[in-house]
Every structure is written in structure tokens, then in C-alpha cells.
Amino acid sequence: MTSDQAGGAAPPDEYVEAEIQRLLTEDPAVAEQGITVIRREDTLVLYGEVESAHRREEILRRVAERFPDVPISSDIGVIRAQAPTEIEQLP
Amino acid sequence: MVIRIAAVGDVHLDEDVVGRFRPALEELPECADVLLLAGDLTRHGTEAEARCVAQEFGGLAVPVVTVLGNHDHQCDQVPQVVKVLEDAGITVLEGDGVVLDCAGGRLGIAGVKGFGGGFAGRCASDFGEPEMKSFVRTTNESAERLGAALRSLDCDMLVALTHYSPVPDTLVGEPLEIYPFLGSYQLGQAIDSAPTALAVHGHAHAGTERGTTPGGVRVRNVAHPVIKQAYSVFHVGDQLDTDQVSPIGGSGSQRSWS
């Protein structure tokens, strides 16, 4: 290993992806385990579903705050909570 | 005999969600005898969040039975969380069970949170470092307590309630690499050790609704992001209208009770 590889360089995208995935769970302001992070060319896409619009906004705010230079796009939905219209019968 | 079971998991309540489920929950007496909650009731397992759960799921006209999930353990306030839920009339199971008198018969529900470990041929072993042995022993002990609780209940119909999955079937959609963090075959083995009619779990947000244990017990993943409605309703019994029965491995829910 050469010494100039040891420090200073920006982490590879794969490490950023891993850090964001962990932030989504471990940051108390987020605490989401159901958000998927996908690397797509120059951007990271977050998708999944959360329980409120506030939580979706908080995810984007926290990720942007921690990784201001990483282009992020999001496709996070808010889960519907209506009564069911069908049942399942199990003999 | 038909017993009507409503179930949902992973509702992750906090102040910002209180009230969203309530309109649908008010309809429960018309369509279900009991509501099962499959863990991850809160975001971080705080007493304050548990009060949100109590507000949303307390005081319903049907009994509510729950297990806790991994999120409900995050802040190490499990005793406080359990107390708030029980004060609201919610039955919290962990290695034990309850029998409810329903119109269709006596419904026995045994529950544990469960734990990860993986599935047959691709699972962690009780071997090596203390941390690994502790991990697997946690799984084993949880499954043993579930099996013992299931076998102990005197009832007409038996249901297993867990947070972690007892089968890989209902994890389809999740990355294969994380299956060992989503469930364990030992839970399935415990379910198969008793005449269980239905097993209900959550935890796998990107998983699939339907599966079966190796012993043929129907398994349903009711994580809220999977079912995408306030709760699912299952009519379980031996006097169903067979024209409306979903076969094992069937492709979808049948028409409503209308």
C-alpha cells in the first residue's frame, strides 16, 4: 500500500452508501430500517415507505445535512392507513 | 367455527402518526374478534411513544394483543413501555399466551418477539465467540418459549404472534443477505410443534404477505408497509364458504364480508 492511498481522498460511493444506510437506522431523528439506498450513476436514490410526511422530510434533511455534497433523489411514500376492503379466508 | 382475526405490525407510532389509524380501528367490531399487533409499535421504544400507542390502540371495542419488536427495545425502557400498554388494556405477550372467548370459539394466542439467526442451511450456529453464541442462544430460547406457550394453551384455535419471521417465504422482496436479521427457522419449528392454525409476524417491511411453515402452517407478514392498509383481516375456521376460500399459496385476498 502506498502512503498517498492512506488518507485524504473522498470515500468511494460504496462507503457513502453504507454510511447513509446506517444513518437511516441509527440517527434517532430517522430510525428507519425500511428505506433502501440505491446508487445510480451520479446520484443516490432513497426509496421505501414511512408513516408520515414529516418523517420523509426529516430523512432528506438529515441525509443532506450529513452528506451535503452527495446528490440525493427520493421516492419515499407515506403508507396508506385505511380500513381493509377485503378479507382472507383460511380453512 | 370461524374466528375473525385482524392484524398489523410495524406501525412505528409517535406523535406525528397519532390519529391516522383510528378511523379504521373504529370499524374493527364489525369485522374482527381480536386485533393482533406484531411488534415495532414505536420508533425508539420510549415511554412517551408507548403513550401514543396506547392512545391509538387503547379503548377499542375488541381485545388487542401484542408482542414487542426490536424498535420497542431501542431505548431500554421495555418495562415502562409494557406498563403503559397494559394500563391501556393491551395484552403484551413475551413467551406466554392468552385465551380469548370469541363468538366462534376459544382463540389461543401465544407470542414472543423472536430473533434473527437465519433459515435452514443458511443460519448462524451456537459456536465460536461468546457474542455469536449469545446471539444464537437468544434465538433458541425465544423459540423454545414460543413452542412451550403454544403447547400450553387450552383452546379451539391456536395462533402464533411474533415480530421476527418464522419462515423465509414472507421475506421475499428483502435482500437475501439480510434474511438472518429478519427471522429464524427455530420460530417455525416452534410453531410446527403445536396444532397452530395461523402464524402472524412483522419486521420485514419489503417482504411478502403469504408463506407456510415446513409443517404447513399458514404464515402472514402483516408489516404495515407490506399490507398497505390499517390492518388485514383473516377469517380462520372450518365452516367457511368454500367458494371464497383462499387456497394455500393462493394469489390474493377474496372479496369482503359484504
Side-chain angles (χ1 to χ4, degrees), chain B residues 75-244:
Chain B
C75 284
D76 297 322
Q77 296 180 23
V78 168
Q80 297 95 314
V81 167
V82 169
K83 183 173 189 315
V84 168
L85 297 177
E86 289 181 340
D87 286 350
I90 298 171
T91 301
V92 183
L93 300 179
E94 178 51 47
D96 53 355
V98 64
V99 177
L100 303 174
D101 279 317
C102 302
R106 291 169 303 153
L107 172 66
I109 305 154
V112 288
K113 176 178 63 64
F115 204 48
F119 298 91
R122 297 165 178 81
C123 62
S125 295
D126 184 359
F127 185 87
E129 304 92 324
E131 294 84 355
M132 182 55 79
K133 287 186 284 205
S134 172
F135 180 89
V136 176
R137 286 173 190 175
T138 302
T139 306
N140 289 343
E141 286 163 13
S142 181
E144 284 163 16
R145 283 184 288 122
L146 175 64
L150 282 165
R151 294 188 298 272
S152 75
L153 296 179
D154 179 19
C155 58
D156 302 315
M157 183 179 294
L158 195 53
V159 170
L161 176 62
T162 61
H163 180 59
Y164 285 78
S165 177
V167 293
D169 310 26
T170 47
L171 304 183
V172 171
E174 296 280 4
L176 275 171
E177 295 88 339
I178 69 167
Y179 276 28
F181 304 109
L182 298 176
S184 52
Y185 80 90
Q186 292 96 324
L187 293 170
Q189 203 168 24
I191 288 162
D192 282 340
S193 76
T196 312
L198 174 67
V200 172
H201 74 88
H203 194 44
H205 289 205
T208 302
E209 282 188 77
R210 297 178 176 83
T212 51
T213 66
V217 177
R218 269 79 56 103
V219 179
R220 294 294 179 267
N221 176 0
V222 296
H224 186 214
V226 171
I227 64 173
K228 295 183 170 61
Q229 54 191 1
Y231 46 84
S232 289
V233 177
F234 308 103
H235 286 193
V236 191
D238 53 12
Q239 292 175 9
L240 300 167
D241 177 351
T242 50
D243 289 341
Q244 295 189 21

Side-chain angles (χ1 to χ4, degrees), chain A residues 24-36 47-56 58-59 78-91, chain B residues 10-14 16-17 20-21 24 27 43-44 70-71 198 210 218 220 224-225 228-231 233-237 240 244-246 253-257:
Chain A
L24 292 171
T25 299
E26 295 172 11
D27 182 339
V30 181
E32 295 285 351
Q33 292 188 290
I35 303 298
T36 304
Y47 77 91
E49 295 191 82
V50 294
E51 293 288 344
S52 73
H54 167 75
R55 293 186 193 182
R56 175 172 56 197
E58 195 65 4
I59 287 170
V78 176
I79 313 166
R80 297 182 292 273
Q82 81 283 14
T85 55
E86 296 175 312
I87 59 166
E88 184 179 8
Q89 303 216 40
L90 301 170
Chain B
D10 305 80
V11 293
H12 295 288
L13 274 249
D14 201 346
D16 59 334
V17 177
R20 280 197 79 217
F21 288 83
E27 297 181 21
R43 298 177 80 190
H44 310 90
N70 56 311
H71 278 247
L198 174 67
R210 297 178 176 83
R218 269 79 56 103
R220 294 294 179 267
H224 186 214
K228 295 183 170 61
Q229 54 191 1
Y231 46 84
V233 177
F234 308 103
H235 286 193
V236 191
L240 300 167
Q244 295 189 21
V245 167
S246 297
S253 297
Q254 300 298 304
R255 289 298 301 167
S256 75
W257 49 86

